[in-house]
Amino acid sequence: MSVDDLAPKPASIPPQPPTQPPQFDTLLGHPKPLWMLFMAEFWERFAFYGIRWALTLYIVAQFAGGSSTGEGDANRTYGAYLALVYASAIFGGYVADRIIGYQRSILLGAVVMAVGLFMIALPSQLLFEFGLSTIIVGNGLFKPNISSMVGQLYAPGDARRDRGFTLFYMGINAGSFFSPLLTGWLAEQVFGTPMTQNYKAVFVASGFGMLISLVWFWLGKRQLKGIGLPPAGGESLLRVLWVAIGCILAIPLVYLLLAKLGATPLAWLLGLLFIGLAVMLLMEAVRTGVVQTHRVIAMLIIFLFNVMFFMFFEQAGSSFNFLAQNIVDRGIGGWEFPVGWFQSVNPVGIILFAPLVTLVWAFLDKRRLEPSIPRKFGLGLIFNGLAFALLMFALSALVDGSGRIPLWTLVAVYLVQTVGELCLSPIGLSMVTKLAPVRLVGLAMGGWFLATAIGNNLSGIFAGIVSGESGMTVDSALTGYTFGFWSLIGAGVLLFLLAPLINKLMHGVK
């Protein structure tokens, strides 16, 4: 039985985002609600990144007795967790589109996520895995819908849309910057107790961050002037109750997928889910016309390249953590750089580079030289590949007598990856709002996150291979990251070659 079957009064008219949004006052050239939305996302990202750096390290410390033989399982669990976080966006997008609207989905999702974040602090593997499952369900309601609402602030054809998404992306990454610094400091400096206890404080701090996001959005939602309200006929609060019951029922199912299914079967399941979503989008597009059908095909092609990008980009929370802990020389004048702080390098790069990338796109646009969407994606893949080229160099030429590489190399890897991310991720969010069928924007945004989910699950499998059965070594890391380099460069070049065809399918969308 689907959530739609549980709803007592199904909407007779599917929701359609307004073709012209309300008139908003502007701040720094953009609608004021943009800043409210990215501050809500700021605190959600604070919560997400607060646990991101600690999860694999905690799993090894708490459930593998600190043995490096647990790295592979930790990597695969982390990859499956991230995959399900993003896959759940499909259902969250559908719930927002058809049942309770975007605003109520975000609020309910924030409540569920906060509960899960507090659960993972409890000293039990069963409760830890159920807590992760609860976070996954809540994130499905929150994440795709707040991004979809950003697109609805701009009229069709508004040239500010791409730049608005880039600014949104920059703003939310401020939360990603502060969270690892604060939680890493809590874990390593404050308590003077074993790290397995300190990680729990990290999880609790992240739970409070999610509560702040909840309150912030609740107080600021009036600024949206009706954007994101329930679909016609769906105003009853009873629908919210049915969706909440659906969330409770979904948590045990997600637990089975996370803890019992395994990463490889999950990859096949996500692939089938992607095929089903593609069929739904294409069926809707065919009803609309040839142009919409072509645009959906173009969007789905780009989704496939997104899988490749995140398969290697999302080593940050898995194999890069063990690289930082075991192979990077983190000593600085007698002080040791905390492992968690590496997670702040990426958001710092976004905060520094996002305005520059925005200016570059605007500069090129005025001269009609701005790269097309597929070529921006190709650049993202190539920059990601260059980061792995730097790792190849460090692991083959810069290893010292104690088997460690310089700290600056991993910092530089994160920064180069950040440039690639800025060429791809914010543009991808904007692309979905332009190419998706109007009636299924939330579902299509879920498709974007499903592609990311498939990449994240593959990232966990790949990270497990890099660590091997006995833990990461210089040789295993070099072999794995060399494969990553050639895969990314090859995909980037292929996308550049396919760009003219994809642009033709997009029918003028820039």
Side-chain angles (χ1 to χ4, degrees):
M1 180 180 290
S2 67
V3 177
D4 197 35
D5 293 328
L6 293 172
K9 296 180 180 179
S12 58
I13 303 175
Q16 298 188 27
T19 55
Q20 294 293 332
Q23 293 295 315
F24 295 111
D25 293 334
T26 61
L27 178 63
L28 300 179
H30 290 269
K32 280 188 175 180
L34 172 69
W35 311 104
M36 183 276 291
L37 291 175
F38 86 58
M39 280 304 297
E41 184 76 339
F42 169 101
W43 285 109
E44 187 274 333
R45 290 290 88 182
F46 178 95
F48 180 84
Y49 276 82
I51 70 170
R52 182 188 189 222
W53 72 266
L55 280 177
T56 52
L57 301 177
Y58 174 73
I59 291 169
V60 171
Q62 178 75 46
F63 306 127
S67 172
S68 59
T69 58
E71 290 180 13
D73 286 338
N75 285 328
R76 287 184 286 270
T77 298
Y78 175 77
Y81 159 71
L82 275 189
L84 292 168
V85 160
Y86 285 101
S88 65
I90 301 171
F91 304 101
Y94 183 84
V95 166
D97 277 337
R98 298 298 182 97
I99 302 176
I100 62 173
Y102 294 90
Q103 292 188 20
R104 289 176 174 177
S105 294
I106 290 167
L107 291 168
L108 179 59
V111 171
V112 175
M113 287 176 70
V115 171
L117 287 162
F118 289 117
M119 284 177 66
I120 63 175
L122 300 173
S124 160
Q125 185 168 0
L126 179 64
L127 291 177
F128 175 80
E129 290 168 345
F130 263 98
L132 290 180
S133 303
T134 304
I135 295 169
I136 289 164
V137 172
N139 193 88
L141 290 170
F142 189 102
K143 183 65 177 173
N145 297 317
I146 198 164
S147 299
S148 295
M149 291 181 71
V150 172
Q152 295 177 39
L153 299 178
Y154 298 91
D158 191 330
R160 299 174 301 167
R161 184 188 295 241
D162 273 6
R163 294 189 282 277
F165 269 102
T166 300
L167 290 170
F168 176 72
Y169 207 68
M170 178 183 68
I172 64 178
N173 272 276
S176 309
F177 165 69
F178 286 111
S179 182
L181 293 181
L182 176 60
T183 57
W185 176 69
L186 283 174
E188 298 203 9
Q189 302 295 329
V190 173
F191 297 103
T193 54
M195 285 297 291
T196 50
Q197 296 180 33
N198 299 351
Y199 289 134
K200 297 180 180 68
V202 170
F203 303 151
V204 170
S206 297
F208 280 109
M210 197 65 239
L211 290 177
I212 294 173
S213 177
L214 169 65
V215 173
W216 186 275
F217 185 82
W218 173 264
L219 295 176
K221 60 187 176 67
R222 292 182 181 178
Q223 298 178 28
L224 295 167
K225 297 184 178 180
I227 287 179
L229 289 178
E235 295 83 2
S236 171
L237 287 175
L238 188 60
R239 284 194 168 204
V240 180
L241 176 61
W242 282 114
V243 173
I245 293 171
C247 289
I248 294 171
L249 296 176
I251 290 169
L253 174 61
V254 173
Y255 165 77
L256 293 175
L257 295 175
L258 174 73
K260 303 300 181 182
L261 183 62
T264 300
L266 180 60
W268 286 103
L269 178 62
L270 292 173
L272 292 173
L273 193 59
F274 182 84
I275 292 171
L277 178 138
V279 169
M280 291 177 65
L281 290 173
L282 285 169
M283 288 174 61
E284 175 67 23
V286 167
R287 283 194 290 266
T288 306
V290 174
V291 171
Q292 184 63 73
T293 302
H294 287 174
R295 286 175 174 171
V296 168
I297 291 171
M299 182 175 68
L300 292 173
I301 292 171
I302 292 176
F303 281 1
L304 294 177
F305 285 94
N306 188 49
V307 171
M308 177 65 71
F309 180 87
F310 279 98
M311 175 178 174
F312 297 102
F313 179 82
E314 200 44 66
Q315 297 305 300
S318 53
S319 75
F320 284 3
N321 262 349
F322 295 115
L323 182 76
Q325 184 181 59
N326 302 325
I327 298 178
V328 173
D329 180 4
R330 295 182 285 118
I332 304 176
W335 173 74
E336 189 169 67
F337 189 87
V339 171
W341 286 16
F342 283 104
Q343 301 293 323
S344 290
V345 176
N346 169 257
V348 166
I350 287 175
I351 293 167
L352 293 176
F353 298 153
L356 298 177
V357 171
T358 301
L359 290 173
V360 168
W361 296 152
F363 175 83
L364 293 174
D365 179 57
K366 289 180 181 179
R367 290 154 181 81
R368 298 186 178 180
L369 296 174
E370 185 176 5
S372 63
I373 288 174
R375 287 202 165 121
K376 287 178 179 177
F377 269 68
L379 288 172
L381 288 160
I382 289 170
F383 273 105
N384 198 359
L386 293 176
F388 280 84
L390 179 55
L391 280 174
M392 290 166 58
F393 170 70
L395 290 165
S396 59
L398 300 180
V399 180
D400 63 18
S402 61
R404 296 179 178 269
I405 61 175
L407 182 147
W408 68 264
T409 57
L410 186 53
V411 171
V413 164
Y414 277 109
L415 292 175
V416 175
Q417 279 193 322
T418 298
V419 177
E421 182 185 7
L422 286 169
C423 291
L424 185 144
S425 282
I427 305 306
L429 296 174
S430 180
M431 174 200 70
V432 171
T433 65
K434 295 175 184 178
L435 296 180
V438 173
R439 299 198 312 169
L440 295 179
V441 172
L443 182 65
M445 191 67 75
W448 165 261
F449 289 115
L450 176 59
T452 304
I454 296 171
N456 286 333
N457 187 57
L458 293 175
S459 79
I461 296 172
F462 173 70
I465 294 171
V466 172
S467 286
E469 296 299 324
S470 59
M472 182 183 291
T473 64
V474 170
D475 289 340
S476 70
L478 178 58
T479 300
Y481 296 150
T482 299
F483 173 78
F485 165 75
W486 288 111
S487 299
L488 287 164
I489 295 298
V493 171
L494 177 60
L495 188 51
F496 261 82
L497 294 175
L498 291 175
L501 171 62
I502 297 173
N503 286 328
K504 186 176 180 179
L505 291 170
M506 290 167 65
H507 290 277
V509 169
K510 302 293 184 182

